[in-house]
Amino acid sequence: MSTWLLLDVNNLAYKAYYTTGELSHNGEQTGVLFGLFRDIAFLQERHQTSNLAFCFDEGPSLRRAAVYQEYKSNRRKEGDRGADELHRQLKEFRDKHLPSIGHRNIFHVKGYEADDVIASLCRNLPNRDEATIISSDRDLYQLLSAKVRIWNKGRFFTSKTLHDLYGVFPEQWASVKAIAGCQSDFIQGIKGVGENKAIKYIRDELPRHLKAYEAIASDEGQEIIGMNLILVELP
């Protein structure tokens, strides 16, 4: 049995940008590269494995943008030099540095995001292998299973952790996000319904006389949920 670390490299790169992004060498910014290499060295040592899979975003999600043009529009800023520099170092890391030191498991597919790629890897694990996802992206909760867990902020997050905290199972998590929406991805949920009420609805614990229940159960609410599921479900 082997344990694989599935790295959401874009997620790690953003963290590096905000912690070591100001570092430079010979007048060229190197903070994102430094942060990524530091994190990889730590993760290999902490998890005692050299089985790494590097997963990258490859442009905007064509599938999601076709359904909802505002998807992640809150992240796009014209002339954002910081974002341009982050992506320059990220591309250099992916196309130059990783291959040069011998890494072969470098995954990116045009029109898909890193979490989509991670979903594909999780669902195609060899029978005896396990995976630890390295990311703080809560959308990835839907991938948790007996063979898949998440490492974030120095601790493991498992399907049991999810159920203990929220009372739902991984296969229900996409529905929670579809009802409540996702601010980080600019996905609008049902007005007046947050994550807690969405979870209560899914657990059949939301009183039916409440406006939140009526909003979710209405034709308009079901239409919103149906569209949002296309945005939040990992293919």
Side-chain angles (χ1 to χ4, degrees):
M1 183 179 69
S2 298
T3 297
W4 287 88
L5 298 187
L6 310 182
L7 291 91
D8 181 350
V9 184
N10 287 73
N11 187 271
L12 291 173
Y14 277 99
K15 289 182 180 179
Y17 177 74
Y18 287 108
T19 56
T20 58
E22 296 302 315
L23 295 178
S24 63
H25 179 70
N26 291 336
E28 184 174 291
Q29 288 185 281
T30 56
V32 173
L33 292 170
F34 174 85
L36 287 171
F37 280 117
R38 173 203 59 194
D39 291 345
I40 289 167
F42 167 78
L43 290 165
Q44 284 189 275
E45 177 65 24
R46 171 60 181 78
H47 297 278
Q48 290 295 293
T49 182
S50 58
N51 297 322
L52 306 180
F54 299 87
C55 305
F56 295 82
D57 293 345
E58 182 65 59
S61 171
L62 301 180
R63 179 176 66 94
R64 296 179 177 100
V67 175
Y68 182 52
Q69 292 184 352
E70 296 301 309
Y71 179 71
K72 288 191 175 180
S73 61
N74 54 324
R75 300 189 188 185
R76 299 194 296 265
K77 296 179 181 179
E78 293 296 331
D80 187 338
R81 292 184 179 179
D84 290 344
E85 177 57 33
L86 185 155
H87 287 105
R88 182 194 69 78
Q89 292 184 57
L90 188 58
K91 189 173 187 302
E92 182 180 326
F93 178 74
R94 185 192 75 187
D95 296 342
K96 178 182 177 183
H97 296 301
L98 286 179
S100 73
I101 59 176
H103 287 293
R104 298 176 60 188
N105 297 313
I106 303 168
F107 297 99
H108 50 99
V109 183
K110 187 173 177 59
Y112 288 90
E113 298 176 64
D115 51 3
D116 299 322
V117 177
I118 290 171
S120 179
L121 294 176
C122 286
R123 289 167 180 158
N124 289 283
L125 281 173
N127 288 334
R128 291 176 55 82
D129 287 4
E130 297 179 344
T132 297
I133 299 170
I134 309 298
S135 180
S136 61
D137 187 345
R138 285 159 54 91
D139 290 346
L140 294 165
Y141 289 175
Q142 60 192 282
L143 301 178
L144 294 166
S145 71
K147 296 177 63 174
V148 177
R149 56 188 178 176
I150 294 171
W151 173 267
N152 182 38
K153 295 181 178 178
R155 63 173 185 166
F156 288 110
F157 196 96
T158 67
S159 53
K160 183 181 184 301
T161 312
L162 179 69
H163 194 266
D164 288 347
L165 285 175
Y166 301 109
V168 296
F169 297 100
E171 57 268 24
Q172 296 173 304
W173 189 251
S175 295
V176 173
K177 303 289 284 186
I179 294 170
C182 181
Q183 288 186 346
S184 65
D185 292 340
F186 210 59
I187 298 173
Q188 303 300 316
I190 296 172
K191 189 174 181 181
V193 179
E195 197 172 271
N196 289 337
K197 288 180 180 177
I199 290 169
K200 287 183 178 179
Y201 177 83
I202 289 170
R203 296 180 61 183
D204 199 23
E205 295 175 355
L206 189 66
R208 301 194 174 210
H209 67 274
L210 293 182
K211 289 184 178 179
Y213 185 95
E214 294 175 358
I216 296 169
S218 68
D219 290 343
E220 181 183 357
Q222 292 299 304
E223 184 177 344
I224 291 171
I225 293 168
M227 184 184 76
N228 284 352
L229 277 172
I230 298 173
L231 302 175
V232 301
E233 280 186 325
L234 298 176

